[in-house]
């Protein structure tokens, strides 16, 4: 990717590792174990994707079986997203420092244990705590996936490998809700919803055993230091904001809740001040504040955050609307969402391969408009058909929404990174995906305001359906406002990302930046016209100075595995 000229203060001085610092071992094209390693990390990525989508479809069953409150329902999903977001960059850096194989095995082992705790949770409080642990373990596991691929496979094989990842992502998008619906409907051994978590146990154990044998260890030659204070401040600020939002409706909006939300602004101000000092002191802040001087990046971060909020609101209330409001089974709700997932996957591939190189930013704005149109159509249908609405009547607005989302999710990360200097690409991609997950957690927190706040207390059985339909319409109205805001914010993105400009497709020896990992995960040649074999953005890859940016692992891997999840929220 070709970057525009930037002020001198934005360009970090290149750091060259001394000659005695070991680098990643060269990938061996004759080592057959690499394909076993690929199968293991692909399975782990698939397990993470499916686990996220599987929970959404089982939420009503969990609520009925455990007696969880509205706020606990929100935290079952938001807790995972918050822990995942807070740990992404740190997880990538830990892999660079201590070894990606080691962190991957710790992550998949911890994820398996957390899944068991979720499956055997005795009460909603234990389930929420276990989901937070699960998200933290995923943040250790997921950033290592593409780093391991980069260290294991030679350059000429990586295009094929990333194509396989794209297929896995698409499969996870469609199969997750269906698998969750089937496991919930079957009620295996009378366990109700619990098999959606327990299914991870045999997969995780096998992955742990085989991974220890077949995955090759690798580290970064010079990894950035950890910023645990930055992680703590981010997490504290979000908790101070999210907790009052999720509990406010239940507690009749107490004064301490408003004080906590106001205090969160002070915590975020302290975070900015601390990150500035840390950048000046050792050059390894959690958040590279100089990136926000790039207009397209600052706007893109705003788009990602707001987009995450919209997704967080929609997917949770959609599940509750169908299963609680309309009284549908989990299987029927899961099948209803299939056209949406297919539309997202198809439009995502088309936007990267054909549309964005030709029309640039207009494709993303068209996606926002289509999503808004689909949401408004759905809102009208929900009111017009009421409790008598059918799955096929939902199909058209869901397909329109899916196409719109597909036009956004695939090219957005690349568009945002197009103006970022190459040496900051890893930091930028890691931050993009972190704020998207944080936006998702914030959206889940806002569900108590835009959805549960519209549902009265002590409803009779006859009142439940109409109340949920009305609340769903209110939530859709807010999602439509979010889409309008995204459309406006996108005007600050470049009309055509830099890599689409004439002569910009030629990469330096260091290869493309972290955005390319996203494109290859969709099985494409990438938006910048590369041939799919140069994968410096594939997580833990070396930049133009020959130095591994530790955040490439967190950023590019998550861009590919999480953002590329074909519209499936985390």
């Amino acid at each position: 990717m070709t970057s525009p000229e930037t002020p001198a203060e934005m360009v970090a001085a290149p750091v060259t590792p001394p000659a005695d610092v070991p680098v990643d071992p060269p990938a061996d094209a004759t080592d057959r174990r690499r394909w076993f390693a690929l199968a293991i990390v692909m399975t782990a990525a698939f397990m993470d994707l499916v686990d996220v989508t599987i929970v959404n479809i089982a939420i009503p069953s969990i609520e009925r079986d455990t007696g969880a409150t509205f706020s606990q329902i929100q935290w079952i999903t938001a807790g995972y997203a918050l822990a995942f977001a807070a740990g992404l960059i740190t997880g990538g850096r830990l892999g660079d420092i201590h070894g990606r194989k080691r962190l991957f095995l710790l992550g998949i082992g911890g994820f398996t244990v957390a899944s068991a705790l979720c499956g055997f949770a005795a009460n909603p409080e234990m389930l929420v705590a276990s989901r937070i642990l699960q998200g933290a373990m995923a943040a250790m596991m997921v950033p290592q996936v593409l780093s391991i691929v980069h260290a294991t496979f030679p350059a000429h094989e990586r295009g094929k490998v990333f194509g396989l990842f794209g297929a896995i992502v698409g499969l996870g998008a469609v199969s997750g809700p269906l698998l969750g619906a089937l496991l919930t409907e079957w009620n295996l051994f009378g366990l109700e919803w619990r098999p959606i978590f327990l299914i991870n146990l045999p997969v995780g154990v096998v992955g742990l055993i085989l991974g220890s044998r077949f995955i090759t260890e690798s580290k970064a030659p010079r990894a950035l230091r950890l910023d645990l204070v930055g992680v703590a401040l981010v997490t504290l600020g979000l908790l101070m904001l999210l907790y009052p939002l999720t509990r406010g409706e239940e507690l009749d909006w107490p004064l301490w809740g408003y004080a906590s939300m106001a205090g969160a602004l002070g915590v975020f101000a302290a975070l900015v001040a601390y990150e500035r000092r840390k950048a000046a002191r050792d050059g390894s802040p959690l958040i590279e504040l100089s990136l926000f001087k790039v207009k397209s990046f600052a706007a893109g971060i705003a788009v990602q955050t707001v987009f995450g909020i919209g997704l967080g609101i929609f997917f949770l209330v959609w599940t509750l609307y169908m299963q609680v409001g309309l009284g549908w089974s989990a299987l029927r709700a899961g099948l209803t969402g299939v056209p949406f997932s297919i539309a997202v996957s198809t439009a995502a591939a088309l936007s990267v391969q054909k549309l964005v190189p030709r029309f640039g930013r207009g494709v993303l704005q068209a996606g926002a408009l289509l999503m808004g149109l689909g949401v408004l159509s759905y809102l009208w249908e929900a009111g017009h058909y009421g409790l008598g609405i059918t799955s096929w009547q939902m199909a058209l607005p869901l397909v329109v929404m899916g196409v719109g989302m597909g036009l956004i999710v695939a090219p957005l990360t690349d568009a945002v990174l197009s103006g970022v200097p190459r040496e900051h690409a890893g930091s930028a991609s890691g931050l993009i995906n972190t704020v998207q997950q944080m936006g998702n957690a914030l959206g889940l927190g806002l569900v108590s305001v835009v959805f549960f706040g519209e549902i009265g207390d002590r409803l009779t059985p006859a009142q439940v359906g109409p109340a949920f339909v009305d609340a769903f319409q209110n939530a859709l109205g807010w999602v439509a406002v979010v889409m309008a805001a995204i459309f406006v914010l996108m005007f600050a993105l470049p009309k055509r990302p830099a890599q689409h400009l004439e002569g910009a497709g030629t990469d330096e020896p260091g290869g493309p930046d972290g955005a390319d990992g996203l494109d290859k995960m969709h099985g494409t040649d990438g938006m910048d016209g590369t041939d799919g074999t140069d994968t410096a953005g594939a997580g833990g890859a070396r930049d133009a100075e020959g130095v591994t940016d530790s955040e490439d692992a967190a950023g590019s891997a998550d861009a590919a595995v999480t953002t590329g999840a074909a519209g499936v929220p985390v």
Side-chain angles (χ1 to χ4, degrees), residues 103-123:
L103 264 292
F104 176 82
L105 294 178
L106 285 174
I108 195 171
F111 192 88
T112 304
V113 171
S115 297
L117 292 174
C118 289
F120 294 114
N123 51 54

Side-chain angles (χ1 to χ4, degrees), residues 92 169 228 280 322 396 416:
V169 166
L228 297 179
M322 289 188 291
L396 179 59
V416 176

Side-chain angles (χ1 to χ4, degrees), residues 351-400:
S351 67
V352 170
Q353 294 176 348
K354 304 292 184 182
L355 299 179
V356 172
R358 185 173 180 182
F359 301 107
R361 181 183 70 195
V363 175
L364 284 84
Q365 290 184 298
L369 290 177
L370 279 175
M371 277 204 73
L373 178 62
V375 167
L376 291 175
S377 300
Y378 206 166
L379 190 157
W380 177 84
E381 284 195 354
H384 180 72
Y385 296 108
L387 297 177
I389 194 170
T390 62
S391 296
W392 70 264
Q393 289 167 332
M394 294 183 184
L396 179 59
L398 287 175
V399 168
V400 174

Side-chain angles (χ1 to χ4, degrees), residues 12 31 66 79 96 133 136 161 171 173 192 217 251 263 307 325 327 366 370 413 448 457 459 489 504 553 565:
D31 188 356
T66 65
D96 286 346
L133 176 62
V161 169
L171 180 62
E192 300 286 342
E217 183 62 281
L251 302 177
F307 192 49
L370 279 175
T413 299
S448 64
D457 297 329
L459 298 175
L489 288 170

Side-chain angles (χ1 to χ4, degrees), residues 66-413:
T66 65
T69 64
F70 287 157
S71 64
Q72 288 168 336
I73 289 173
Q74 290 171 268
W75 274 103
I76 290 169
T77 50
Y80 184 101
L82 178 60
F84 188 52
L88 269 176
I89 294 177
T90 298
R93 288 184 182 176
L94 284 171
D96 286 346
I97 295 169
H98 299 292
R100 294 152 188 157
K101 173 182 176 179
R102 178 180 297 177
L103 264 292
F104 176 82
L105 294 178
L106 285 174
I108 195 171
F111 192 88
T112 304
V113 171
S115 297
L117 292 174
C118 289
F120 294 114
N123 51 54
E125 292 81 8
M126 181 177 174
L127 180 56
V128 169
S130 301
R131 283 286 288 169
I132 293 173
L133 176 62
Q134 200 178 34
M137 293 300 101
M140 293 178 61
M141 175 178 68
V142 171
Q144 319 309 326
V145 172
L146 294 189
S147 299
I148 291 172
V149 169
H150 179 270
T152 305
F153 285 84
H156 70 274
E157 290 184 335
R158 292 177 196 146
K160 178 169 62 176
V161 169
F162 289 124
L164 291 173
F165 265 108
I168 289 294
V169 166
L171 180 62
V174 177
S175 63
L178 291 179
L179 182 60
L182 288 172
L183 289 174
T184 303
E185 286 286 304
W186 288 339
N187 189 19
L188 299 175
F189 309 108
L191 293 174
E192 300 286 342
W193 49 272
R194 298 177 189 276
I196 69 170
F197 297 111
L198 299 178
I199 195 174
N200 291 334
L201 270 59
V203 178
V205 170
V206 171
L208 194 62
I209 295 172
L210 296 181
S212 62
R213 178 177 179 182
F214 292 108
I215 295 176
T216 302
E217 183 62 281
S218 64
K219 297 181 181 180
R222 177 68 62 85
L224 299 179
R225 298 179 182 179
L226 297 178
D227 183 6
L228 297 179
V229 174
V231 172
L233 288 173
V234 168
T235 305
L236 176 62
L238 284 170
L239 282 173
M240 291 175 66
L241 185 63
L242 288 174
Y243 188 76
L245 281 175
T246 55
R247 294 298 310 278
E249 181 65 27
E250 277 185 66
L251 302 177
D252 198 24
W253 298 105
L255 183 61
W256 64 261
Y258 293 103
S260 177
M261 288 187 282
L265 299 179
V267 173
F268 290 133
L271 171 68
V272 171
Y274 174 79
E275 293 299 293
R276 283 177 178 166
R277 289 197 301 270
K278 184 165 177 59
R281 185 170 66 248
D282 60 22
S284 59
L286 179 70
I287 301 172
E288 185 62 59
L289 296 175
S290 63
L291 290 170
F292 290 92
K293 297 178 182 179
V294 181
K295 179 183 175 182
S296 60
F297 180 80
I301 285 292
V303 170
Q304 288 278 20
T305 304
V306 176
F307 192 49
I309 290 173
L311 297 185
I313 293 173
F314 175 74
F315 283 101
L316 179 57
V317 302
W318 185 33
T319 294
L320 295 172
Y321 161 70
M322 289 188 291
Q323 294 191 52
V324 180
L326 302 180
W328 290 1
S329 67
L331 182 59
R332 183 175 178 182
L335 291 172
T336 300
V338 169
F340 176 86
S341 297
I342 294 174
V344 174
S345 301
T346 303
L350 185 63
S351 67
V352 170
Q353 294 176 348
K354 304 292 184 182
L355 299 179
V356 172
R358 185 173 180 182
F359 301 107
R361 181 183 70 195
V363 175
L364 284 84
Q365 290 184 298
L369 290 177
L370 279 175
M371 277 204 73
L373 178 62
V375 167
L376 291 175
S377 300
Y378 206 166
L379 190 157
W380 177 84
E381 284 195 354
H384 180 72
Y385 296 108
L387 297 177
I389 194 170
T390 62
S391 296
W392 70 264
Q393 289 167 332
M394 294 183 184
L396 179 59
L398 287 175
V399 168
V400 174
M401 288 177 61
V403 171
M405 184 176 290
L407 296 180
I408 297 174
V409 293
L412 179 57
T413 299

